[in-house]
Every structure is written in structure tokens, then in C-alpha cells.
Amino acid sequence: MANNDWQEYQFIQGAVFNNETITSFGNIENELQCTQNQNVICDLSHLGLLEVSGDDAVTFLQGQVTNDVRLIVDNHAHYTGYCSPKGRLLALFFAFSHNQKLHLEFNQKLLEPIAKRLKMHVMRAKVTINDVSDSTVKIGLSGNNIADLLAPFFATVPKLAYESASTENGTIICMPNAGIPRYQIIGNTEQAKAIWQALKKDCKPVGKACWEWLEIQAGIPDVYPSTQEEFVPQMLNLDALSAINYKKGCYTGQEIVARTHYLGKVKRRTQLAHIASDGGPAIGDDVMDTNQQAIGKIVRCAPALEAGFVVLVECRLENLTLGDIYWNNIALSIKQLPYSLDSAD
């Protein structure tokens, strides 16, 4: 059930909805431009959120995901993969602590099947898994002086990526970025309303596409229903994002993930690219070489500021060297990721 109170508040602010997702506040092109050089604020209700609690919550998740759950404390968050027994990604979680409970944020389209799968593995463990996507409001912010604007609400505003802090106004997390500071705030509806109301005069409200653009610029992949079980974690650069811990012990799919790491260099990686096209690719679309052989897939896509689309694309590294990567017969223009892949190998 949607958070009607929060949706009504956003509607009054000028939000344009499509299937309960805010697509814009009236002008997507203008919002994309503002995202590049101004402070922006974005509702993140399009993201699913599971709360995992109970005496065995940490132990349970430790046996399910690629990262070390014990590292999630009140001042730290991280990405972590959720794999099939064959080591293929079923979901990508952004994991953090909020209200002293573990939370997993991920693609809303996967929420129901992933929640069901996790609950299946609880067995007799003292673990409760609740969908709090609607009862918990999530806000994204980006801009060069966002930290200063947030200071009145949070005694401590984290400055390093993945650092977090919790106060009476909710939880604030410093998100990875591509040069423009980026934050996420998690709280209840009344906390979110107060913060949004105070910041909207200094921050341009923007829709989902702008947050997707920021995520892609930061090199953050995602898993969709159309790409489930298509990638081992390293193909989506999860090692470069410190989303895999090779010393944490066993978890589902761990043998394949470890073998990929220890037995040789990863031959497929995710790259940042631009597609000069009026129509955008679908998630999971194949990309081709000059011989029309499939060499990878579209991982994530958003409208670009300079027309066309910005994408994350998984492909063979040998084709990256040759420079022959195409979608729909259009050559991809490869851009620089904000992190190094060499150090991950």
C-alpha cells in the first residue's frame, strides 16, 4: 500500500506521477540540467526497502549476501550482492542501519520475489523480514553545498562515501558520487516533510530520471527482472565498489564468486557510456560487436543531459579495447568511470 500522506504532499509540491513513481516536477529536461550544476532533491519511493530484524538478523544475512554484514554499524553502509547458488546476481542491495535495525534497499520491481526468497531461508532463525517501503520515506539530495544545507538537521553530516549518522530527524548517508556530493535521508513521513519543506527553496525538486542519472554517473549498477541471473558480481564491478568481501565466509553462490576472483582476471566488466539515439535501450538489451555478435548487455539507462542516453553496459573487455560496441547499430561512446577497475582485479 502506497504512503498516501507522502504522495499527497508531493502532489501538492507539483510532482507528476506514473504508477506511484515521480517522473518529474513538470519539466524533465530542465531538471536534468539542474542536476548537473545545482542542488537537487528527489523522492526515492521507487526503491524497495526491507527491514531485517531479530536476534539472528546479522548471522542470517551473513549467509546470504556477498559483503560482510557485521561491518554495517550505525555509521557505515555498503552495497552487497544477493546471488543464486550458481553465483549469479538476483539483486543488488544497499544495506544500512536505521532505527538500530538492518535495512536492504533495492529495485522495487524485485521486492516481492526477493522478500519471499529471503523468508524461505529463515527457517528457525530468529529473524523478521518486513517490507517498509511505504512506511519509511527515502529522499535523495545532490549538490556542491548540500552538506551545509543539511547541517541544521543533523549534528553530524558524513563527508565520506558510505558513512552514515542517525538522529531524531532520521538517518543520513553519504552516497558514492562522481564529483558532486550526494546524500540519502531515511525517516518517517513527518521528518521527511519537515526536511523537504525547509530545503525546497535551495534545492530543485527533480524526478526519478535525475537520480538514475546520478547513480549511473557514479558507476552504480542495478539488477532488474530482465537481468536477474545474467551476471556474476564482478561483471557489475561489485568488487570495485567494495561490495564483495572475500574473507567473510560462506554464503549462497560464494564458491563461484571466489573462483572468479582467485582463478584469473575478470574478462567482462561494466562500463559507463553514452548512446546518441532518440530512443533509449531497454534494460537487458544485447550490445553487439561489428559482426553482430552479442558481447554484453545494457545494465542501467537514463536520459542524458546532452540528448541521447547515458548507460551502464556490461561487455567483454577485449571489445572495449577494439572500440566496437554497438546497440541497435549505434556505436557506444565509452566514458571514464569514477573508480578504478584495475585495483579490483
Side-chain angles (χ1 to χ4, degrees), residues 323-341:
D324 60 342
I325 305 172
Y326 300 86
W327 170 81
N328 202 24
N329 294 318
I330 299 170
L332 273 64
S333 174
I334 303 298
K335 307 297 182 181
Q336 184 69 44
L337 283 164
Y339 51 77
S340 170
L341 295 178

Side-chain angles (χ1 to χ4, degrees), residues 73-114:
V73 291
D74 288 339
N75 63 349
H76 184 74
H78 64 217
Y79 287 100
T80 185
Y82 182 44
C83 296
S84 71
K86 294 183 179 179
R88 297 275 167 162
L89 282 167
L90 297 168
L92 175 62
F93 298 141
F94 184 60
F96 56 86
S97 174
H98 171 60
N99 289 338
Q100 299 182 326
K101 295 177 181 178
L102 293 170
H103 285 72
L104 304 175
E105 181 181 82
F106 61 108
N107 196 317
Q108 176 77 42
K109 298 180 189 304
L110 297 176
L111 191 137
E112 187 175 338
I114 291 297

Side-chain angles (χ1 to χ4, degrees), residues 18 31 73 83 101 133 153 223-224 233 235 287 299 317 334:
N18 181 17
E31 291 168 27
V73 291
C83 296
K101 295 177 181 178
S133 306
F153 297 94
V223 177
Y224 289 75
M235 290 180 187
V287 292
V299 173
L317 290 175
I334 303 298

Side-chain angles (χ1 to χ4, degrees), residues 265-271 315-322 341 345:
K265 192 169 183 177
V266 180
K267 295 180 175 60
R268 305 176 72 100
R269 286 292 193 177
T270 294
Q271 307 293 332
C315 65
R316 290 190 217 148
L317 290 175
E318 61 184 282
N319 292 94
L320 186 69
T321 304
L322 295 171
L341 295 178
D345 290 329

Side-chain angles (χ1 to χ4, degrees), residues 50-322:
L50 293 178
E51 177 189 270
V52 185
S53 59
D55 293 343
D56 299 331
V58 172
T59 304
F60 166 71
L61 279 181
Q62 191 75 341
Q64 300 294 320
V65 297
T66 61
N67 217 338
D68 192 340
V69 183
R70 296 169 299 183
L71 300 178
I72 302 175
V73 291
D74 288 339
N75 63 349
H76 184 74
H78 64 217
Y79 287 100
T80 185
Y82 182 44
C83 296
S84 71
K86 294 183 179 179
R88 297 275 167 162
L89 282 167
L90 297 168
L92 175 62
F93 298 141
F94 184 60
F96 56 86
S97 174
H98 171 60
N99 289 338
Q100 299 182 326
K101 295 177 181 178
L102 293 170
H103 285 72
L104 304 175
E105 181 181 82
F106 61 108
N107 196 317
Q108 176 77 42
K109 298 180 189 304
L110 297 176
L111 191 137
E112 187 175 338
I114 291 297
K116 182 179 179 180
R117 189 183 183 97
L118 283 170
K119 289 176 182 178
M120 244 173 40
H121 289 91
V122 168
M123 309 298 274
R124 297 186 181 183
K126 296 178 180 178
V127 177
T128 301
I129 300 172
N130 290 317
D131 177 5
V132 295
S133 306
D134 295 328
S135 59
T136 305
V137 178
K138 307 167 290 292
I139 296 174
L141 304 110
S142 175
N144 287 320
N145 63 332
I146 282 294
D148 294 334
L149 296 175
L150 291 171
F153 297 94
F154 298 94
T156 301
V157 178
K159 297 296 175 66
L160 299 177
Y162 305 111
E163 283 187 343
S164 66
S166 297
T167 72
E168 67 278 2
N169 286 316
T171 298
I172 180 172
I173 306 171
C174 183
M175 303 295 289
N177 62 72
I180 304 173
R182 201 162 65 108
Y183 289 88
Q184 186 176 167
I185 295 171
I186 303 96
N188 61 41
T189 302
E190 293 310 310
Q191 291 168 334
K193 282 183 181 179
I195 292 172
W196 191 287
Q197 196 67 27
L199 294 184
K200 68 177 185 178
K201 66 179 185 296
D202 295 305
C203 298
K204 171 77 172 176
V206 299
K208 175 188 174 184
C210 294
W211 192 256
E212 286 292 300
W213 183 85
L214 288 165
E215 288 272 271
I216 290 170
Q217 294 299 320
I220 307 300
D222 202 358
V223 177
Y224 289 75
S226 58
T227 55
Q228 277 188 306
E229 299 194 68
E230 290 289 346
F231 313 113
V232 297
Q234 291 93 334
M235 290 180 187
L236 295 191
N237 304 346
L238 295 201
D239 46 352
L241 291 166
S242 299
I244 305 172
N245 189 303
Y246 294 107
K247 300 178 180 178
K248 59 161 283 185
C250 294
Y251 57 87
T252 304
Q254 182 259 346
E255 183 180 352
I256 305 299
V257 177
R259 186 186 304 159
T260 302
H261 173 67
Y262 290 114
L263 294 186
K265 192 169 183 177
V266 180
K267 295 180 175 60
R268 305 176 72 100
R269 286 292 193 177
T270 294
Q271 307 293 332
L272 175 63
H274 179 262
I275 299 176
S277 170
D278 293 334
I283 303 301
D285 275 2
D286 287 334
V287 292
M288 309 289 187
D289 62 14
T290 51
N291 297 316
Q292 291 297 298
Q293 297 296 311
I295 57 166
K297 289 186 178 293
I298 298 292
V299 173
R300 202 165 190 175
C301 176
L305 300 179
E306 65 278 24
F309 293 84
V310 61
V311 299
L312 290 176
V313 55
E314 178 269 347
C315 65
R316 290 190 217 148
L317 290 175
E318 61 184 282
N319 292 94
L320 186 69
T321 304
L322 295 171

